[in-house]
Amino acid sequence: MAADKAVLKVGDKEIELPVLKGSAGQDVIDVRALGSIGYFTFDPGFMATGSCESEITFIDGAKGVLLHRGFSIEELARDADYLEVCYMLLHGNAPSSAEYADFKGTITRHTMVNESVNKFFQGFRPDAHPMAMLCGTVGAMSSFYHDDLDVSDQSMRLRSAYRLVAKMPTLVAMCYKYNIGQPFVYPRNDLSYAENFLNMMFSVPAEDYKVSPAVARAVDRIFTLHADHEQNASTSTVRLAGSSGANPYACIAAGVASLWGPAHGGANEACLNMLEEIGSVDKIPEYIAKAKDKSDPFRLMGFGHRVYKNYDPRATVMRESCHEVLQELKVDDPLLDVAMELERIALEDDYFKSKKLFPNVDFYSGIILKAIGIPTNMFTCIFALARTVGWISHWHEMLSQPGQKIGRPRQLYTGETQKPYTPIEK
Ligand code: SDX
């Protein structure tokens, strides 16, 4: 709703722009009328641009607040499971016990993928990066669910969302099994969402596999901590792809592609590789110096965030889980010592304090995943699995909004101005 007005004077022109107030967070200046006086806004990287109106997730970067549908991430990580969070992200409210049971039953019964999906994997090199395989196979899912799909129909959108939430663990586990040359494991309806994922990842036909309840709890919490995060790069990618009416599986494949980057979801894999490269506590000062050196492209992976400028509340919960899991599994990983000391040093260092750099969600997740036995190159696939519900909830919300338009940014053109073309001798 318009709360106030901003007056913009430029040259001999002046325009009043409405200031819109949300239920929390920054007000926004509605610049849609700016074109009428012949100007565009210019904001590469969207440092100060609101791309949409949303009710799903709220972040307060200064206070380290993350809410999903008004519920704090700390409470959800403690008192809810991932499927409860999925329900509220998709439907807007926390589920009742009956709604939860019904939702869980539906998700459970959609975890299998078409048997033909196996054939897509045969085309990949055995050592293909799991994110390459995930990007390809999620996009390929659009070939199974396209002809009768009408994205303007809410029930069809929710059916696509349920299928994606249900099938991502199956596809992610298939990527892992293909990499290690073991047979794919079918989903089991008698297991919880996290237990089923772990079973598809680690069970083999040759013997029974017992899922550790502690590990399943940790994995479920990791899923919750990665479920959604406002208009981050991959979510914005899914929204932009979906704004044209594209197939939702293809849009989620675009989100997987964007998340893969080391500046985004790829940071958890890069962070663990960095901790392993540092190797021991005494090497930390050398890497801190590299991170500060402007001529060195090295960055401390797992540190810094575009929005959080004090701390990432997810990292705090993740750190607690890290200690619990390592204690429960009796894992004494020296990388945790390196991570804790790196965090301590970085938080005391003036450079990092001045740049507001501190551990983000990716800093501790890798240590937990490694302790669980998940290989480093699978970390971002886990992030993509968990984030799928956030991506598809934003896609669903966008297409539910009246007057939804295709996203089409403009630019500041700095190329050649018009000049005559001289045909060449051919
Ligand atoms: C995720 O958007 C989201 O919500 C993302 C996410 C989600 O849930 O979807 O939270 C998940 O992607 C978390 C971020 C994971 N990425 C990393 O850990 C990679 C390392 N971090 C950086 O690449 C960086 O901090 C970003 C990408 C996270 C944020 O980049 P910004 O906001 O564009 O900030 P910047 O790159 O302009 O950095 C500001 C300054 C720069 O120095 P100056 O040019 O001002 O001198 O801080 C420095 C940077 O050089 N800096 C770092 C640093 N991160 C920023 N210096 C050393 N190490 C780092 N990690």
Side-chain angles (χ1 to χ4, degrees):
M1 68 199 110
D4 212 347
K5 291 222 179 292
V7 178
L8 181 68
K9 287 189 179 133
V10 52
D12 58 352
K13 298 185 175 146
E14 179 172 311
I15 186 170
E16 268 198 5
L17 298 169
V19 173
L20 307 180
K21 185 178 276 298
S23 50
Q26 272 103 320
D27 295 349
V28 297
I29 298 174
D30 182 344
V31 295
R32 282 175 286 189
L34 208 48
S36 66
I37 63 164
Y39 286 90
F40 296 141
T41 60
F42 184 64
D43 184 14
F46 307 123
M47 306 289 282
T49 291
S51 61
C52 62
E53 179 177 335
S54 181
E55 300 174 358
I56 298 174
T57 289
F58 174 70
I59 302 173
D60 182 322
K63 297 182 185 140
V65 170
L66 169 55
L67 306 178
H68 291 318
R69 300 293 188 182
F71 302 108
S72 76
I73 191 61
E74 293 87 347
E75 284 185 284
L76 293 175
R78 189 188 62 226
D79 302 332
D81 74 12
Y82 177 68
L83 284 185
E84 285 176 80
V85 175
C86 289
Y87 183 95
M88 69 178 72
L89 289 174
L90 280 167
H91 291 282
N93 54 291
S96 64
S97 302
E99 286 165 334
Y100 173 77
D102 182 50
F103 179 69
K104 183 177 179 183
T106 304
I107 296 297
T108 301
R109 283 193 305 278
H110 284 79
T111 48
M112 287 177 73
V113 296
N114 187 300
E115 201 65 6
S116 308
V117 171
N118 298 2
K119 299 183 191 118
F120 289 116
F121 281 91
Q122 305 320 316
F124 293 119
R125 289 169 38 146
D127 63 350
H129 193 287
M131 282 296 279
M133 293 192 274
L134 188 63
C135 201
T137 46
V138 170
M141 294 298 281
S142 58
S143 67
F144 294 93
Y145 308 105
H146 184 75
D147 299 340
D148 63 348
L149 177 61
D150 171 6
V151 297
S152 68
D153 179 317
Q154 163 159 319
S155 62
M156 286 195 178
R157 288 202 301 272
L158 283 174
R159 192 187 312 156
S160 302
Y162 287 16
R163 279 185 170 134
L164 277 155
V165 170
K167 297 178 194 302
M168 281 303 268
T170 310
L171 291 173
V172 167
M174 290 173 86
C175 294
Y176 174 59
K177 286 302 200 186
Y178 186 76
N179 261 167
I180 62 174
Q182 286 186 0
F184 298 140
V185 174
Y186 288 105
R188 276 181 38 191
N189 292 355
D190 60 323
L191 299 176
S192 73
Y193 191 87
E195 289 169 344
N196 184 39
F197 172 63
L198 288 165
N199 186 62
M200 292 189 288
M201 284 283 289
F202 296 124
S203 74
V204 290
E207 59 186 38
D208 284 345
Y209 171 74
K210 185 93 183 71
V211 181
S212 146
V215 170
R217 248 194 334 273
V219 165
D220 190 271
R221 183 176 288 183
I222 285 176
F223 289 165
T224 292
L225 292 171
H226 287 83
D228 188 49
H229 211 240
E230 201 219 60
Q231 305 310 324
N232 59 87
S234 51
T235 300
S236 300
T237 300
V238 172
R239 276 181 172 262
L240 194 55
S243 72
S244 70
N247 181 292
Y249 298 86
C251 297
I252 296 299
V256 173
S258 171
L259 186 77
W260 193 1
H264 190 10
N268 55 15
E269 175 179 1
C271 179
L272 203 89
N273 291 335
M274 174 193 73
L275 290 173
E276 285 176 339
E277 186 186 332
I278 293 173
S280 59
V281 169
D282 60 312
K283 298 278 285 302
I284 291 175
E286 173 194 332
Y287 282 85
I288 294 272
K290 277 169 64 71
K292 293 180 188 176
D293 178 356
K294 280 287 157 228
S295 63
D296 189 330
F298 173 79
R299 286 195 164 182
L300 282 183
M301 301 318 281
F303 278 79
H305 200 277
R306 170 65 59 77
V307 178
Y308 291 123
K309 295 306 172 194
N310 276 311
Y311 69 98
D312 182 336
R314 301 168 297 175
T316 310
V317 179
M318 199 72 85
R319 186 195 312 126
E320 287 158 19
S321 296
C322 201
H323 284 292
E324 281 168 29
V325 169
L326 293 186
Q327 217 158 358
E328 190 107 24
L329 299 181
K330 298 179 181 41
V331 169
D332 178 19
D333 188 342
L335 287 186
L336 180 62
D337 301 333
V338 176
M340 299 288 287
E341 182 60 6
L342 180 58
E343 180 185 27
R344 187 189 65 77
I345 295 175
L347 293 181
E348 289 172 1
D349 184 287
D350 290 340
Y351 174 86
F352 288 90
K353 285 197 284 193
S354 69
K355 301 255 180 234
K356 310 272 186 197
L357 301 175
F358 46 83
N360 57 43
V361 68
D362 293 304
F363 186 64
Y364 283 100
S365 55
I367 299 170
I368 301 178
L369 294 172
K370 178 173 178 279
I372 288 168
I374 292 174
T376 308
N377 69 355
M378 283 295 298
F379 289 2
T380 311
C381 281
I382 308 277
F383 195 151
L385 185 168
R387 184 54 58 87
T388 292
V389 69
W391 289 333
I392 205 70
S393 297
H394 281 274
W395 170 81
H396 177 50
E397 178 183 65
M398 172 185 69
L399 294 173
S400 306
Q401 286 168 340
Q404 178 265 328
K405 289 182 176 308
I406 187 169
R408 205 301 186 191
R410 301 304 302 273
Q411 63 179 11
L412 172 68
Y413 179 67
T414 54
E416 293 281 349
T417 49
Q418 182 140 16
K419 59 186 180 182
Y421 182 71
T422 309
I424 57 173
E425 290 298 320
K426 288 192 270 296

